[in-house]
Amino acid sequence: MRLWSIHPCHLDPRGLVTLWREGLLAQAVLRHATKGYRHHPQLARFRAQAFPIASIAQYLWEVHAESVTRGYRFDATRITAAGIAGQIDVPRGQIGFEWRHLQKKLERRVPEWLTQSPPRVHPLFRVIPGGVAEWERG
């Protein structure tokens, strides 16, 4: 499971579809609607929020918005919560880690998606000073 802190506009088609599926899975885990992935470290930052389900919903709405921009038909009725949850802090080092990780994936899969521009951040997240997040694997 990878819930990117960088904006979904940077993901290739395969990556965006995968993010949608994994975001929906994360939502199910946070709602206690599935037994798998309950201890996945990517969920730590959502669980730490006052309203974790609203946070993942806010995350998914941005993924859905990107899908609409691309002409995809992600089913928005699968997002089970609404409301504003507030931003989640993400260390600048985490953004750099994810950007390098994504660039390696794109280099192998679809080199035409590679870009030199600095990454945009998913609007749910607020960049703060710091290294790679403690919940990050690898």
Side-chain angles (χ1 to χ4, degrees):
M1 178 184 297
R2 164 73 54 194
L3 299 173
W4 297 95
S5 305
I6 59 177
H7 196 279
C9 70
H10 297 296
L11 302 175
D12 63 311
R14 179 176 160 189
L16 186 64
V17 170
T18 299
L19 178 61
W20 176 249
R21 283 194 328 257
E22 291 178 352
L24 291 172
L25 173 60
Q27 176 181 251
V29 172
L30 292 170
R31 292 181 62 237
H32 307 287
T34 185
K35 292 181 181 177
Y37 293 93
R38 288 182 297 175
H39 304 290
H40 200 286
Q42 288 275 329
L43 297 175
R45 58 185 165 169
F46 291 93
R47 280 199 179 100
Q49 303 309 302
F51 303 103
I53 296 170
S55 293
I56 195 65
Q58 197 171 329
Y59 183 89
L60 284 165
W61 279 116
E62 190 66 26
V63 177
H64 183 268
E66 179 61 26
S67 78
V68 170
T69 299
R70 296 187 192 191
Y72 301 168
R73 294 187 197 160
F74 291 2
D75 182 4
T77 65
R78 299 196 60 197
I79 303 172
T80 60
I84 304 300
Q87 287 189 299
I88 299 173
D89 291 342
V90 62
R92 184 171 311 287
Q94 180 65 30
I95 300 299
F97 174 87
E98 290 183 20
W99 187 242
R100 288 185 302 277
H101 183 63
L102 178 61
Q103 295 299 300
K104 288 176 190 172
K105 283 180 172 284
L106 295 175
E107 194 174 298
R108 287 189 312 269
R109 269 197 327 237
V110 279
E112 60 272 17
W113 275 84
L114 287 169
T115 178
Q116 297 302 316
S117 63
R120 287 176 50 201
V121 176
H122 188 295
L124 176 63
F125 301 108
R126 176 180 49 234
V127 180
I128 61 170
V132 176
E134 51 193 52
W135 47 260
E136 180 62 67
R137 289 185 183 169

